[in-house]
């Protein structure tokens, strides 16, 4: 079996220490641990996914529930892998020695718990927000993790209990959105509608009717967006595609947000340096660009300008959304994670995640970003031409 990362300890790590045991050593250790007859009996009696890790954070032994969960990463035998590797975490390849050593591991609940355990063995809890798989098969997972020390036949190990919170966090996200955003918009519709009969001036009635109409459209759009997001995650979303001009889509999205509360006090500029047709869904591309533009407007200060630039190259058309703010490193580490948000309320943070999901899985493109002092932040959607 080949290791997913280097066996020889590299010199550089972004978070936890590098270096791991060979698969042969892990296999020998597993046999030694199983030699204590109570280990398999205890693990098999635990209903939740449970694994034993060595000091290099590698899986030595796991119960059936853990084996089933860890197969999400495509590995039939997780022995010798680290948990992030077994789950197929997309950030594993960003570290010099796999799981625990990438920049994004600094914000991972598992990474933090393992690092703290390595400094001082004890009981540690955390929550893992994970992007697992690649391309169209990528999925967002949320797991809880609890580490505690366990000594088996003189060998110090880490008892790691996992629980899949993915469905729970998605439900919380949906509830927060409907209880806050949708309810607020519905109340605005109700309030304006109730005032119309009391308006004697026709112009005032027409103005309120416009408010009702715009808020109703927003309300329907919110509901459709959440419905489509849930369908996109379970693979049932139907996305009819046809030839479209991204520059026209960008212009329509910019105009929509200029008239929204997000555009208050901020300027939105659109530049089309080149624009070829792409085979896409105008509805879902508009939502993706809109999510990125909304985030940029929220990050921009009053008086600042947010720019959308459409360019064409030999093989792709790019839509870049730029603002002058710079994202802190902890925020950059978690971009595209489901339910990660810089706002106070939990269960939100779907903007960049939704854009990444729709573009990569259903529109055949990619979403990337750069954020640096003096340059600001730019999110770019790239779609193949044709």
């Amino acid at each position: 079996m080949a290791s997913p990362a280097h066996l020889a300890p590299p010199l550089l790590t972004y978070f936890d220490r590098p270096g791991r045991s060979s698969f042969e050593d892990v296999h020998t250790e597993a046999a030694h641990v199983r030699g204590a007859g109570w280990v398999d009996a205890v693990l098999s009696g635990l209903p939740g996914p449970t694994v034993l890790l060595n000091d290099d954070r590698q899986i030595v032994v796991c119960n059936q529930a853990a084996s089933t969960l860890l197969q999400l990463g495509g590995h039939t035998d997780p022995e010798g892998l680290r948990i992030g590797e077994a789950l197929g975490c997309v950030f594993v390849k960003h570290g010099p020695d796999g799981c625990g050593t990438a920049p994004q591991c600094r914000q991972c609940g598992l990474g933090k718990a393992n690092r703290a355990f390595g400094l001082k063995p004890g009981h540690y809890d955390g929550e893992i927000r994970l992007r697992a798989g690649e391309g169209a098969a990528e999925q967002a997972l949320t797991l809880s993790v609890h580490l505690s020390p366990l000594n088996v036949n003189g060998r110090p190990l880490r008892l790691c209990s996992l629980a899949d919170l993915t469905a729970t966090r998605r439900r919380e996200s949906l509830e927060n959105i409907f209880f806050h955003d949708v309810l607020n918009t519905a109340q605005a519709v109700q309030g304006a509608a109730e005032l119309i009969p009391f308006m004697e001036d026709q112009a005032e009635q027409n103005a309120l009717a416009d408010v009702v109409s715009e808020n109703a459209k927003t309300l329907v759009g919110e509901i459709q967006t959440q419905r489509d997001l849930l369908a996109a995650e379970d693979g049932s979303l139907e996305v009819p595609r046809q030839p479209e001009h991204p520059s026209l889509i960008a212009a329509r999205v910019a105009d929509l947000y200029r008239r929204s509360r997000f555009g208050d006090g901020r300027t939105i500029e659109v530049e089309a340096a080149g624009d070829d047709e792409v085979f896409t869904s105008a509805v879902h591309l508009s939502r993706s660009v809109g999510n990125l533009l909304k985030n940029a407007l929220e990050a921009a200060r009053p008086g600042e300008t947010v720019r959308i630039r459409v360019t064409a190259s030999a093989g792709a058309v790019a839509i870049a959304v730029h603002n002058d703010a710079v994202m802190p490193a902890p925020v950059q580490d978690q971009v595209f994670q489901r339910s990660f948000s810089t706002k106070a309320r939990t269960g939100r943070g779907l903007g960049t995640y939704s854009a990444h999901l729709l573009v990569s899985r259903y529109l055949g493109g990619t979403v990337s970003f750069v954020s640096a002092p003096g340059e600001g932040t730019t999110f770019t959607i790239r779609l193949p031409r044709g």
Side-chain angles (χ1 to χ4, degrees):
M1 183 189 304
S3 169
H6 309 297
L7 290 176
L11 299 177
L12 173 68
T13 179
Y14 293 100
F15 191 57
D16 210 343
R17 66 173 181 81
R20 63 178 69 208
S21 304
S22 68
F23 281 103
E24 291 75 16
D25 288 343
V26 172
H27 182 72
T28 299
E29 187 171 20
H32 182 85
V33 168
R34 285 195 171 97
W38 60 268
V39 172
D40 280 331
V42 170
L43 290 181
S44 63
L46 296 173
T50 308
V51 302
L52 295 181
L53 306 175
N54 65 12
D55 195 45
D56 293 321
R57 311 184 299 281
Q58 293 165 272
I59 298 169
V60 177
V61 177
C62 65
N63 65 4
Q64 184 57 50
S67 180
T68 301
L69 173 65
L70 297 174
Q71 286 179 10
L72 289 172
H75 301 279
T76 56
D77 181 8
E79 185 179 296
L81 300 176
R82 292 174 180 155
I83 289 177
E85 295 158 359
L87 287 170
C89 175
V90 300
F91 297 123
V92 164
K93 59 188 176 185
H94 296 179
D97 193 25
C99 178
T101 65
Q104 294 81 3
C105 300
R106 297 175 296 200
Q107 311 306 325
C108 174
L110 173 64
K112 292 178 180 179
N114 261 320
R115 191 168 188 269
F117 192 105
L119 295 173
K120 183 180 180 181
H123 297 267
Y124 299 95
D125 294 288
E127 186 166 300
I128 313 167
R129 284 193 304 271
L130 185 72
R131 287 168 50 203
E134 294 184 359
E138 184 177 310
Q139 58 182 311
L141 303 175
T142 305
L143 309 171
S144 69
V145 58
H146 176 77
L147 289 182
S148 57
L150 182 69
N151 191 291
V152 181
N153 286 348
R155 294 174 184 257
L157 298 169
R158 305 176 187 188
L159 179 67
C160 178
S161 302
L162 300 167
D164 191 350
L165 302 179
T166 304
T168 300
R169 292 293 178 261
R170 285 179 181 171
R171 188 191 68 248
E172 290 173 351
S173 173
L174 190 62
E175 288 175 351
N176 275 331
I177 287 167
F178 271 86
F179 290 154
H180 184 271
D181 297 359
V182 172
L183 182 58
N184 281 354
T185 306
Q187 288 173 335
V189 172
Q190 180 185 24
E194 290 175 347
L195 286 174
I196 290 178
F198 298 98
M199 295 295 175
E200 296 180 0
D201 184 79
Q202 186 63 47
E204 291 179 342
Q205 286 187 353
N206 292 340
L208 273 177
D210 288 341
V211 171
V212 171
S213 177
E214 286 300 316
N215 278 285
K217 290 178 183 177
T218 301
L219 182 60
V220 172
E222 276 285 357
I223 295 172
Q224 290 176 333
T225 296
Q226 296 308 313
R227 179 199 62 189
D228 285 357
L229 177 58
L230 294 176
E233 289 182 317
D234 68 21
S236 64
L237 180 64
E238 295 183 3
V239 181
R241 293 195 268 177
Q242 63 183 27
E244 300 283 357
H245 283 277
S247 61
L248 298 179
I249 291 174
R252 288 196 296 266
V253 171
D255 185 58
L256 174 67
Y257 276 85
R258 288 190 188 103
R259 294 183 281 111
S260 75
R261 63 181 178 85
F262 300 103
D264 289 347
R266 296 159 181 81
T267 301
I268 303 174
E269 293 183 355
V270 180
E271 176 189 353
D275 181 23
D276 289 342
E277 280 189 342
V278 296
F279 199 63
T280 192
S281 163
V283 170
H284 296 94
L285 181 57
S286 296
R287 286 182 187 167
S288 300
V289 175
N291 283 336
L292 300 182
L293 179 57
K294 176 183 174 182
N295 284 358
L297 290 169
E298 290 180 329
R301 294 189 295 265
E304 291 186 339
T305 298
V306 173
R307 294 176 174 83
I308 305 177
R309 190 166 188 263
V310 182
T311 57
S313 62
V317 174
I319 306 173
V321 180
H322 174 270
N323 71 89
D324 292 333
V326 179
M327 293 187 293
V331 175
Q332 294 189 43
D333 289 342
Q334 299 175 84
V335 167
F336 304 133
Q337 296 279 34
R338 195 187 207 284
S339 298
F340 167 71
S341 175
T342 57
K343 304 176 184 64
R345 289 194 309 279
T346 59
R348 301 179 62 78
L350 296 177
T352 56
Y353 166 76
S354 176
H356 180 270
L357 174 67
L358 290 173
V359 171
S360 63
R361 185 178 295 185
Y362 293 94
L363 302 184
T366 61
V367 184
S368 59
F369 76 94
V370 292
S371 186
E375 298 179 9
T377 298
T378 302
F379 279 84
T380 303
I381 295 174
R382 287 184 175 83
L383 298 170
R385 291 173 59 181

